[in-house]
């Protein structure tokens, strides 16, 4: 094999190793010897001689010897006699060539691990260059597998560290025979001790709070003596902070059935326990306030029911009395009785409102739906309410509406609430516009005043129960803050929507909408029902 190389590369004949000292024969023998030694090496090896230009600068390295392993790895048997830099131009880009020059210059061996992405090689190598006369001996080892394994391990370790960081956890391994207790970084973080500190399972006994000592003892016993799965939660005092730690471990049993190791994970539950405690307290508070609200509703309901019957009787008696005084032409007493009736009406309206609020909060407002003309209903209410104030002018603009199906009484109640509000909250009087429109597949009613308006930060609270604007201009007007709450409840139970737009000092516009069943559908249902 060597002969054939020499035949094919007469140039190498002149490259005597180690040069001038050896005779031709010695050189051949030594070369043969070297070749056979090289060929037994499992590492890729080559001997190269510097190629110099006229100024004695090294321009390349000619390969004098290449062992079997190198031929096998490169798939080339023709390397001897060739120039390294010409065959593998990547060595110049990768910096490897510079390293070879350095070895030639300093005479000191160099080792390097590198990734070689040229000439379609794409592998990791560990190379060593040793100067020999005017050349180099190079060893080359393919370390791609090792590097990939290292990278995978590094990736897994990084992943483990990130997972531990996120989960506030740490993992460990206890070797039963060597008693070595290995900790991940996460464990050192939990225990707040320097990374690498030597630890033993007894550390749990050192840190556990007295109340949980038994748990810690059981854990230590399981880790070091028995081969059981185990899960413990205990509180550890770490740097004056009591941490709640959950520890889970499993034994690793070998083929003979002996436990070799115990693998474990510690999870710091302090934050989640704290969050749970806070949540429990909040839940408790919420439950208590809900309970209080429920009791308040219950009280309002009972009180209103109890008041309703006597007030209804008083109202009836007062009306009879008023009638009697009117019949006997006792104008003075009849007028007193009329005033009394007005107050009784207010009182009974109030009681009805209170009863409605409890119905709405319990979600049981019953609707009695009918088909009616909304324009007519609005017209009736406008006419009735106009009598309340000479200062205000109610202007109604009817819409082109199809008959609606809704609870006439309840929709009337919403209109009354809103129109009375416009009067109440426009103390200077003025015009109030009421408009009905047919939009999308429903009707929209808007009530617009130029009164005192509502401050912006109150707009989203105005439909809440007992909500009254906290401004002196509003406080002067009597009310309980129930009208809009009831109106919203009624419109919601019609699956509609209610809204307000308002500017302080400019006025307010209340709008409500509810969907209508198309007339052809009503007629169709009517025909079906009457066939
Ligand atoms: P109240 O009986 O107190 O009037 P409402 O539920 O009807 O209760 O109204 C809630 C609050 O909304 C009122 O106290 C008032 O502050 C404000 N409000 C309602 N309607 C108007 C309006 N048209 N203009 C200005 N503020 C209004």
């Amino acid at each position: 094999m060597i002969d054939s190389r020499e035949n094919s590369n007469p140039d190498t004949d002149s490259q005597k190793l180690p040069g001038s000292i050896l005779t031709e024969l010695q050189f051949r023998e030594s070369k043969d010897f070297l070749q056979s030694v090289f060929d037994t090496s499992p590492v890729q090896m080559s001997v190269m001689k510097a190629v110099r230009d006229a100024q004695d600068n090294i321009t390349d390295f000619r390969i004098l010897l290449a062992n079997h392993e190198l031929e096998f790895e490169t798939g080339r048997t023709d390397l001897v006699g060739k120039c390294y830099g010409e065959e593998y131009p990547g060595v110049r880009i990768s910096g490897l060539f510079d390293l070879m020059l350095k070895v030639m210059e300093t005479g000191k061996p160099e080792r390097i691990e590198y990734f070689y992405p040229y000439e379609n090689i794409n592998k990791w190598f560990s190379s060593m260059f040793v100067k020999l006369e005017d050349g180099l001996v190079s060893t080359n080892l393919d370390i791609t597998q090792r590097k990939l394994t290292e990278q995978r391990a590094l990736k897994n370790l990084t992943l483990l560290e990130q997972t531990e960081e996120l989960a506030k956890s740490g993992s460990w391994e206890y070797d039963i025979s060597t008693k070595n207790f290995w900790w991940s970084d996460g464990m050192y973080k939990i225990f707040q001790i320097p990374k690498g500190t030597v630890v033993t399972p007894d550390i749990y006994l050192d840190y556990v709070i007295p109340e949980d000592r038994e748990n810690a003892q059981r854990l230590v016993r399981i880790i070091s003596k028995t081969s059981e799965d185990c899960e413990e939660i205990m509180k550890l005092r770490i740097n004056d902070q009591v941490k709640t730690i959950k520890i889970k471990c499993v034994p690793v049993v070998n083929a003979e059935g002996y436990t070799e190791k115990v693998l474990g994970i510690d999870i710091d539950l302090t934050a989640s326990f704290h969050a749970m405690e806070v949540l429990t307290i909040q839940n408790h508070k919420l439950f208590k306030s809900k309970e209080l609200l429920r009791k308040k509703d219950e009280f309002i309901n009972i009180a209103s029911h109890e008041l309703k019957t006597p007030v209804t009787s008083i109202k009836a008696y007062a009306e009879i009395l008023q009638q009697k005084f009117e019949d006997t032409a006792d104008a003075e007493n009849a007028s007193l009785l009329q005033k009394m009736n007005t107050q009784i009406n207010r009182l009974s309206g109030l009681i009805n409102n209170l009863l409605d609020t409890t119905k709405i909060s319990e979600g049981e407002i019953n609707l009695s739906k009918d088909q009616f003309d909304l324009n007519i209903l609005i017209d009736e209410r406008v006419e009735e309410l106009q009598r309340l104030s000479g200062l205000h002018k109610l202007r109604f603009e009817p819409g082109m509406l199809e008959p609606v199906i809704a609870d006439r009484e309840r929709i009337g109640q919403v209109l009354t609430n809103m129109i009375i509000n416009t009067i109440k909250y426009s103390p200077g009087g003025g015009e109030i516009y009421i408009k009905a429109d047919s939009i999308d597949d429903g009707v929209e009613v808007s009530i617009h005043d130029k009164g005192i308006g509502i401050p912006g930060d109150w707009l989203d609270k105005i439909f809440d129960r007992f909500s009254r604007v906290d401004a002196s201009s509003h406080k002067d007007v009597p009310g309980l803050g129930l009208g809009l709450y009831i109106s919203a409840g009624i419109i919601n139970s019609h699956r509609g929507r209610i809204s307000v737009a308002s500017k302080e000092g400019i006025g307010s516009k209340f709008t409500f909408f509810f969907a209508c069943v198309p007339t052809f559908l009503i007629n169709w249902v009517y025909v079906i029902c009457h066939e």
Side-chain angles (χ1 to χ4, degrees), residues 421 424-425 449 454 462 467-469 474 479-481 483-484 508:
N421 274 353
K424 276 178 17 181
Y425 298 101
D449 66 56
I454 299 167
I462 213 71
S467 177
R468 303 207 72 224
V469 174
H474 288 251
L480 272 186
L484 289 181
S508 312

Side-chain angles (χ1 to χ4, degrees), residues 430-444:
E431 296 192 306
I432 289 157
Y433 301 95
I434 300 126
K435 197 168 172 237
D437 258 327
S438 166
I439 63 156
D440 301 332
D441 37 6
V443 285
E444 188 183 81

Side-chain angles (χ1 to χ4, degrees), residues 125-283:
F125 293 101
S126 168
S127 295
M128 187 162 174
F129 300 101
V130 180
K131 190 175 180 205
L132 181 71
E133 291 291 323
D134 194 26
L136 295 170
V137 176
S138 144
T139 58
N140 211 23
L141 188 63
D142 179 352
I143 54 165
T144 311
Q145 277 315 316
R146 195 195 87 201
K147 276 287 177 188
L148 290 181
T149 315
E150 270 175 22
Q151 278 174 355
R152 263 198 299 275
L154 193 71
K155 201 169 132 196
N156 287 343
L157 194 71
T158 318
L159 213 68
L160 176 73
E161 276 173 8
Q162 285 172 353
T163 314
E164 289 189 345
E165 182 72 42
L166 274 177
K168 298 263 172 283
S169 65
S171 48
W172 50 261
E173 193 180 307
Y174 182 72
D175 191 310
I176 302 283
S177 52
T178 63
K179 302 198 179 337
N180 179 31
F181 195 33
W182 173 86
W183 270 14
S184 72
D185 288 2
M187 288 297 291
Y188 290 104
K189 274 193 191 141
I190 293 177
F191 280 77
Q192 292 171 14
I193 52 177
K195 212 169 124 182
T197 308
V198 177
V199 283
T200 68
D202 282 350
I203 191 161
Y204 291 105
L205 298 174
D206 300 339
Y207 281 75
V208 74
I209 61 162
E211 295 84 337
D212 287 349
R213 193 165 179 80
E214 257 182 48
N215 294 357
Q217 280 170 334
R218 190 167 43 246
L219 176 76
V220 173
R221 209 171 36 248
I222 287 173
I223 298 177
S224 44
K225 296 204 176 65
T226 67
S227 49
E228 296 166 33
D229 288 6
C230 150
E231 185 173 320
E232 294 286 351
I233 292 185
M234 62 185 80
K235 285 193 161 53
L236 305 180
R237 180 172 293 283
I238 296 165
N239 282 350
D240 283 341
Q241 190 202 350
V242 175
K243 290 189 175 184
T244 308
I245 309 288
K246 179 175 178 176
I247 301 123
K248 258 188 114 155
C249 64
V250 280
V252 178
V253 181
N254 66 12
E256 285 81 47
Y258 294 111
T259 303
E260 273 183 350
K261 295 171 183 176
V262 182
L263 301 180
I265 176 162
D266 286 22
I267 306 166
D268 185 348
L269 298 177
T270 318
S272 29
F273 256 62
H274 180 67
M276 254 163 67
E277 272 167 20
V278 171
L279 211 68
T280 314
I281 293 169
Q282 278 176 350
N283 258 348

Side-chain angles (χ1 to χ4, degrees), residues 261-470:
K261 295 171 183 176
V262 182
L263 301 180
I265 176 162
D266 286 22
I267 306 166
D268 185 348
L269 298 177
T270 318
S272 29
F273 256 62
H274 180 67
M276 254 163 67
E277 272 167 20
V278 171
L279 211 68
T280 314
I281 293 169
Q282 278 176 350
N283 258 348
H284 189 66
K285 278 187 185 161
L286 201 72
F287 180 77
K288 271 178 94 177
S289 57
K290 268 193 165 172
E291 185 60 16
L292 275 174
L293 266 180
R294 199 189 57 75
K295 282 194 173 147
K296 192 175 83 182
D297 277 353
E298 203 175 278
F299 170 76
I300 293 175
N301 203 16
I302 294 171
S304 329
H305 267 115
E306 291 301 314
L307 283 171
K308 197 174 163 76
T309 323
V311 168
T312 315
S313 308
I314 294 170
K315 194 172 172 227
Y317 290 131
E319 273 165 6
I320 296 169
L321 265 179
Q322 187 186 345
Q323 191 60 51
K324 280 198 168 170
F325 284 128
E326 276 169 6
D327 290 349
T328 55
D330 186 344
E332 197 188 337
N333 281 328
S335 149
L336 279 176
L337 257 281
Q338 202 213 330
K339 282 183 184 143
M340 188 172 147
N341 266 331
T342 311
Q343 294 308 318
I344 293 171
N345 281 342
R346 278 193 64 194
L347 188 60
S348 99
L350 198 71
I351 292 168
N352 284 337
N353 274 351
L354 286 173
L355 283 170
D356 278 349
T357 59
T358 46
K359 278 185 198 148
I360 290 168
S361 71
E362 281 160 19
E364 53 164 78
I365 187 156
N366 288 327
L367 298 180
S368 158
K369 288 192 179 178
D370 239 332
Q371 188 181 347
F372 64 93
D373 185 329
L374 185 62
N375 280 329
I376 296 181
L377 173 68
I378 302 175
D379 214 34
E380 279 172 18
R381 295 294 159 123
V382 165
E383 199 190 317
E384 182 188 321
L385 297 169
Q386 179 62 78
R387 285 191 224 125
L388 294 181
S389 165
L391 270 180
H392 300 83
K393 184 71 204 144
L394 303 183
R395 298 198 181 280
F396 172 44
E397 188 187 321
M400 297 277 291
L401 308 182
E402 300 266 4
V404 298
I405 294 186
D407 187 321
R408 196 176 193 278
E409 255 323 291
R410 289 296 191 181
I411 297 293
Q413 191 179 346
V414 175
L415 285 165
T416 304
N417 269 341
M418 288 187 169
I419 297 173
I420 289 183
N421 274 353
T422 58
I423 296 173
K424 276 178 17 181
Y425 298 101
S426 313
E431 296 192 306
I432 289 157
Y433 301 95
I434 300 126
K435 197 168 172 237
D437 258 327
S438 166
I439 63 156
D440 301 332
D441 37 6
V443 285
E444 188 183 81
V445 178
S446 61
I447 296 148
H448 192 175
D449 66 56
K450 291 180 178 158
I452 56 175
I454 299 167
D457 53 340
W458 275 89
L459 289 176
D460 57 344
K461 304 184 270 211
I462 213 71
F463 295 101
D464 291 350
R465 190 156 57 147
F466 300 116
S467 177
R468 303 207 72 224
V469 174
D470 194 12

Side-chain angles (χ1 to χ4, degrees), residues 45-65:
M45 292 180 86
S46 59
V47 178
M48 292 175 269
K49 180 167 172 47
V51 177
R52 295 179 183 271
D53 61 12
Q55 283 77 42
D56 211 29
N57 294 322
I58 299 176
T59 56
D60 210 333
F61 290 91
R62 192 175 304 282
I63 302 166
L64 301 183
L65 279 175

